[in-house]
């Protein structure tokens, strides 16, 4: 592991940090808050890059049940360790790191059965606050889901490890041949991370169905063989034409819209698989054709979150550099212009923005 040597005459750390606080939906305030101290086994990371994501956008626009306001927010990040707590042995101050914002407890019913993504406390213990100069990371994350960041991996790409780990987890257990046709529904950041992950696994025939020209260009640049614009009425015909009348071997739904969930089942071939990755609003219901699912033997999967195993695999993918991950980051914004970045993200002609303290 490479350690950075801090100059002996380096100025002391400031007492306060700049941090974006979501006061209520639609209102962000830059505040000066005390820099946190690490807990035993934990660290404090100086954030070098934080990335925007759809979850943060939803919290900004209409609130989020897991983000009671006022709250710090932002959870995709990479940086440099500024402080280490008692008992930390794997890292030192000055280390470049990449990390997630959550980790399983390791002892609950689900963790004991290898379903760490469903851990009883993984969501209640998650860390928010990457849209700030510093963020405190607890022991369970440091121990399981924090890794050294190689010098040749840019911080903005290292910060993709968390969402990529969710994608990797979603693809676990799905057999994908290199000659399969994979249809990705949607062309937002998560959809394009699926494209990049599949391309890195050697899949060539990836079709992305979406509606924004900029995102479709990025989809092709990172590995999509074809992109199609669609309506609910035209897409089944288009997919049949592109697959010899069969349908896609694997369909990945990334929009989180109930009517697209329902449509996805009709786009897979007989014996195919549908992954429902995009989460719909709470209380949403969908209706499926049981004859289609049963007699055509369609496999339905609904992955959630990530496991430490998926985090390790995501990091390996980033380090292999088989795709240009940087193309998923449209532009940089300084910390004080987070609101502008989220406004731009809402308009949709972008993928992700890097927020730089």
């Amino acid at each position: 592991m490479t350690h950075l040597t801090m100059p002996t005459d380096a100025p002391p750390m400031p007492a306060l940090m700049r941090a974006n606080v979501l006061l209520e939906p639609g209102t962000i305030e830059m505040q000066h808050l005390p820099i946190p101290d690490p807990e035993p086994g934990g660290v404090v990371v100086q954030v070098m890059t934080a990335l925007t994501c759809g979850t943060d956008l939803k919290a900004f626009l209409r609130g989020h049940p897991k983000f009671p306001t006022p709250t710090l927010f932002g959870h995709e990040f990479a940086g440099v360790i500024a402080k280490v707590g008692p008992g930390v042995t794997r890292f030192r101050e000055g280390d470049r790191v990449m990390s997630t914002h959550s980790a399983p407890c390791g002892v609950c019913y689900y963790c004991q059965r290898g379903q760490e993504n469903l851990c009883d406390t993984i969501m209640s213990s998650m860390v928010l606050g990457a849209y700030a100069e510093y963020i405190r990371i607890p022991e369970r994350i440091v121990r399981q889901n924090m890794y050294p960041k190689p010098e040749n991996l840019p911080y903005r790409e290292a910060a993709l490890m968390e969402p990529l780990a969710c994608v990797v987890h979603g693809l676990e257990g799905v057999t994908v041949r290199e000659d399969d046709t994979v249809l990705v529904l949607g062309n937002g950041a998560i959809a394009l991370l699926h494209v990049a992950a599949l391309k890195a696994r050697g899949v060539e025939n990836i079709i992305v169905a979406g509606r924004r020209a900029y995102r479709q260009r990025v989809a092709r640049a990172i590995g999509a063989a074809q992109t199609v614009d669609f309506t609910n009425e035209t897409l089944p015909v288009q997919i049949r034409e592109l697959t010899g009348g069969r349908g896609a071997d694997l369909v990945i739904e990334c929009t989180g819209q109930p009517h697209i969930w329902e449509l996805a089942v009709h786009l897979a071939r007989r014996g195919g698989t549908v992954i429902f990755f995009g989460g719909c609003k709470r209380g949403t219901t969908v209706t499926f054709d049981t004859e289609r699912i049963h007699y055509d033997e369609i496999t339905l999967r609904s992955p959630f979150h990530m496991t430490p195993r998926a985090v390790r695999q995501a990091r390996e993918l980033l380090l292999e550099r088989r795709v240009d991950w940087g193309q998923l980051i449209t532009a940089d914004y300084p910390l004080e212009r987070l609101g502008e970045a989220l406004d731009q993200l809402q308009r949709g002609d972008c993928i992700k923005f890097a927020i730089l303290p």
Side-chain angles (χ1 to χ4, degrees):
M1 181 188 305
T2 300
H3 299 283
L4 298 180
T5 301
M6 306 301 287
T8 56
D9 59 348
M13 285 183 60
L16 299 177
M17 67 176 182
R18 294 177 301 143
N20 281 290
V21 177
L22 182 63
L23 299 179
E24 60 184 14
T27 303
I28 297 173
E29 181 178 85
M30 178 71 76
Q31 296 184 4
H32 288 82
L33 302 176
I35 296 175
D37 289 318
E39 65 179 46
V43 302
V44 172
V45 172
Q46 181 181 3
V47 178
M48 303 306 292
T49 298
L51 299 179
T52 59
C53 86
T55 300
D56 295 331
L57 179 61
K58 292 176 186 176
F60 172 65
L61 293 176
R62 57 176 181 266
H64 192 287
K66 298 294 184 182
F67 301 178
T69 54
T71 182
L72 296 167
F73 71 132
H75 62 274
E76 299 177 9
F77 68 96
V80 176
I81 292 182
K83 300 180 184 178
V84 297
V88 175
T89 59
R90 290 180 56 226
F91 299 102
R92 298 190 306 190
E93 292 180 7
D95 285 351
R96 307 177 182 91
V97 292
M98 47 206 295
S99 178
T100 67
H101 70 305
S102 69
C105 71
V107 297
C108 73
Y109 178 92
Y110 300 99
C111 287
Q112 291 298 304
R113 282 155 179 79
Q115 296 177 298
E116 298 99 329
N117 58 304
L118 301 178
C119 168
D120 283 333
T121 59
I122 198 167
M123 299 307 292
S124 61
S125 63
M126 67 181 177
V127 173
L128 301 174
Y131 298 139
E133 291 180 295
Y134 296 88
I135 184 170
R136 179 167 55 190
I137 309 300
E139 183 273 339
R140 65 199 275 180
I141 298 176
V142 173
R143 174 168 43 88
Q144 298 179 79
N145 286 341
M146 178 174 283
Y147 289 94
K149 184 197 78 68
E151 188 170 359
N152 64 349
L153 180 69
Y155 285 105
R156 62 211 316 262
E157 296 181 26
L160 288 167
M161 185 174 72
E162 188 273 339
L164 182 58
C166 295
V167 168
V168 168
H169 171 68
L171 292 172
E172 282 184 343
V174 177
T175 301
V176 185
R177 293 169 37 140
E178 292 185 1
D179 61 346
D180 277 349
T181 296
V182 179
L183 171 62
V184 179
L185 298 174
N187 57 9
I190 283 293
L192 299 185
L193 278 168
H194 275 92
V195 174
L198 289 163
K199 185 68 174 179
R201 289 173 62 167
V203 180
E204 294 294 334
N205 195 18
I206 305 170
I207 305 170
V208 173
R211 293 195 178 100
R212 297 186 182 276
Y214 170 77
R215 291 179 174 180
Q216 296 292 65
R217 289 197 299 271
V218 175
R220 292 189 294 271
I222 63 172
Q226 300 180 76
T227 57
V228 296
D229 294 331
F230 73 95
T231 64
N232 289 1
E233 294 74 25
T234 62
L235 189 57
V237 175
Q238 290 175 288
I239 298 306
R240 284 196 297 270
E241 291 176 347
L242 292 171
T243 59
R246 291 185 305 275
D249 299 284
L250 172 63
V251 179
I252 305 174
E253 200 291 325
C254 295
T255 73
Q257 299 180 59
H259 67 282
I260 304 297
W261 273 49
E262 294 176 340
L263 177 64
V265 172
H266 297 281
L267 301 173
R269 66 164 173 83
R270 296 179 63 219
T273 298
V274 178
I275 296 176
F276 299 113
F277 194 96
C280 300
K281 292 181 181 179
R282 177 176 292 181
T284 299
T285 59
V286 294
T287 302
F288 296 131
D289 181 343
T290 55
E291 180 179 12
R292 165 69 169 148
I293 294 172
H294 178 68
Y295 288 100
D296 287 344
E297 201 172 84
I298 306 299
T299 299
L300 307 180
R301 298 175 58 89
S302 55
F304 169 72
H305 209 52
M306 62 192 168
T307 63
R309 179 177 59 255
V311 175
R312 290 193 299 272
Q313 293 173 357
R315 180 175 182 269
E316 290 170 4
L317 281 178
L318 291 171
L319 268 56
E320 288 171 0
R321 311 300 292 274
R322 296 184 186 179
V323 297
D324 183 358
W325 301 98
Q327 293 187 82
L328 298 175
I329 301 166
T330 303
D332 298 345
Y333 277 87
L335 190 62
E336 60 270 17
R337 293 175 59 195
L338 172 63
E340 294 177 46
L342 293 175
D343 286 338
Q344 180 66 24
L345 194 66
Q346 182 183 8
R347 287 192 281 272
D349 291 325
C350 54
I351 310 299
K352 281 180 172 289
F353 291 112
I355 307 301
L356 308 180

